């Protein structure tokens, strides 16, 4: 019984680590490289948007939520309703989040371009907390928004005054929401051309064992995980 219990726990850990590590997607070479509006100071990130279920509050026919994830900057999601316009990301399990990147183009979209956006996160749509409130001035290109938790949140402590956001300390959340509050020139509907969400890259060995170990040689790497 002890052996089968240990085997069950080990297999569960491996399945969980593959959910975190598997299916990494790097930024497509066809998309211009993001230029950060905020210096993150972190390098090892992976795109995890494919792990989420995406939804929007409204969309014009032919410019739906799929345009946010088609890896093309010549297409766009267009809202079709009242502000605020919401983009929701629902993950099946709690994930680590470091950065959100959105592609906007004022030169093409003009009054459809967001001028004020809010980024929120939580466990569901009903307990979201605002992480960032940004005002944009005619953006053309990638805008990077750090999602790193405060050091207080990362430690699970509660203080009256939270510390400044640090993207190197990932945020844990089930749900992320991007809200377009206003547009340039008082436009009603909005255009967002691409959205990407990034989390820290996790080493498989460290994810399974909980230890900062790195398997560098082929001989050790072949035994790093069970298959």
């Amino acid at each position: 019984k002890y052996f089968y219990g240990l085997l069950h726990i080990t297999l569960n850990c491996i399945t969980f680590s593959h959910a975190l590590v598997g299916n990494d997607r790097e930024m497509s070479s066809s998309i211009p490289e993001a230029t950060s509006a905020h210096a993150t100071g972190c390098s090892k990130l992976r795109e995890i948007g494919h792990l989420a279920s995406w939804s929007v509050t409204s969309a014009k026919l032919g410019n739906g939520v799929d345009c946010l994830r088609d890896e093309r900057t010549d297409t766009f999601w267009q809202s079709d309703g009242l502000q605020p316009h919401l983009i929701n990301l629902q993950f099946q399990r709690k994930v680590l989040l470091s950065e959100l990147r959105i592609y906007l183009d004022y030169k093409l979209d003009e009054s459809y371009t967001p001028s004020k956006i809010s980024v929120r996160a939580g466990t569901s749509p009903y307990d979201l907390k605002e992480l960032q409130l940004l005002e944009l001035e005619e953006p053309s290109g990638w805008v990077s928004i750090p999602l790193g938790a405060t050091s207080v949140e990362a430690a699970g402590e509660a203080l009256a005054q939270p510390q400044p956001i640090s993207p190197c300390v990932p945020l844990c959340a089930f749900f992320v929401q991007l809200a377009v509050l206003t547009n340039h020139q008082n436009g009603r509907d909005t255009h967002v051309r691409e959205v990407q969400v990034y989390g820290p890259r996790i080493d498989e060995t460290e994810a399974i064992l909980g230890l900062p170990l790195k398997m560098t040689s082929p001989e050790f790497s072949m035994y790093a995980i069970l298959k």
Side-chain angles (χ1 to χ4, degrees):
K1 292 183 179 179
Y2 174 80
F3 172 79
Y4 284 112
L6 181 60
L7 179 61
H8 178 70
I9 293 173
T10 303
L11 291 177
N12 282 343
C13 289
I14 294 170
T15 302
F16 176 72
S17 71
H18 275 286
L20 289 175
V21 181
N23 299 324
D24 282 1
R25 294 177 58 201
E26 301 295 342
M27 189 185 305
S28 172
S29 58
S30 62
I31 301 180
E33 186 176 355
T35 55
S36 295
H38 306 273
T40 63
C42 299
S43 56
K44 296 182 179 180
L45 299 178
R46 65 190 186 109
E47 212 284 329
I48 59 173
H50 59 289
L51 300 178
S53 174
W54 293 67
S55 64
V56 293
T57 48
S58 65
K60 186 177 180 180
L61 185 63
N63 298 95
V65 64
D66 55 307
C67 293
L68 295 172
R69 299 290 299 167
D70 61 3
E71 298 188 348
R72 296 175 54 184
T73 58
D74 59 343
T75 62
F76 53 83
W77 161 65
Q78 180 174 324
S79 63
D80 189 18
L82 299 176
Q83 296 173 346
H85 307 301
L86 307 179
I87 301 173
N88 299 314
L89 289 73
Q90 174 76 63
F91 294 91
Q92 292 184 351
R93 58 171 58 88
K94 187 175 286 189
V95 295
L96 298 176
L97 303 166
S98 298
E99 187 172 288
L100 186 72
R101 297 178 184 176
I102 59 175
Y103 193 92
L104 306 172
D105 197 334
Y106 177 79
K107 296 177 182 178
L108 295 178
D109 299 327
E110 297 184 344
S111 64
Y112 287 91
T113 309
S115 61
K116 181 182 289 188
I117 59 177
S118 171
V119 180
R120 308 151 183 173
T123 59
S124 74
Y126 309 106
D127 66 349
L128 299 178
K129 294 183 179 180
E130 187 172 82
L131 304 177
Q132 295 276 23
L133 181 64
L134 287 84
E135 294 192 9
L136 306 173
E137 185 66 31
E138 301 183 2
S140 291
W142 287 100
V143 177
S144 296
I145 307 168
L147 299 180
T150 64
S151 57
V152 174
E153 291 169 339
E157 301 174 356
L159 295 178
Q161 296 296 329
Q163 301 301 311
I165 289 178
S166 170
C168 292
V169 182
L171 173 76
C172 260
F174 282 98
F175 199 95
V176 178
Q177 184 179 87
L178 173 64
V180 178
L181 305 180
T182 61
N183 292 324
H184 285 74
Q185 304 172 20
N186 295 319
R188 189 192 74 163
D189 286 315
T190 194
H191 286 181
V192 178
R193 294 179 173 266
E194 196 75 18
V195 179
Q196 297 176 337
V197 59
Y198 285 81
R201 188 177 299 279
I202 299 175
D203 180 79
E204 291 190 6
T205 308
E206 184 174 352
I208 296 173
L209 302 179
L211 299 173
L213 302 177
K214 303 293 182 182
M215 301 296 186
T216 56
S217 67
E219 291 80 6
F220 276 94
S221 297
M222 64 186 297
Y223 298 109
I225 59 174
L226 295 177
K227 297 187 178 181

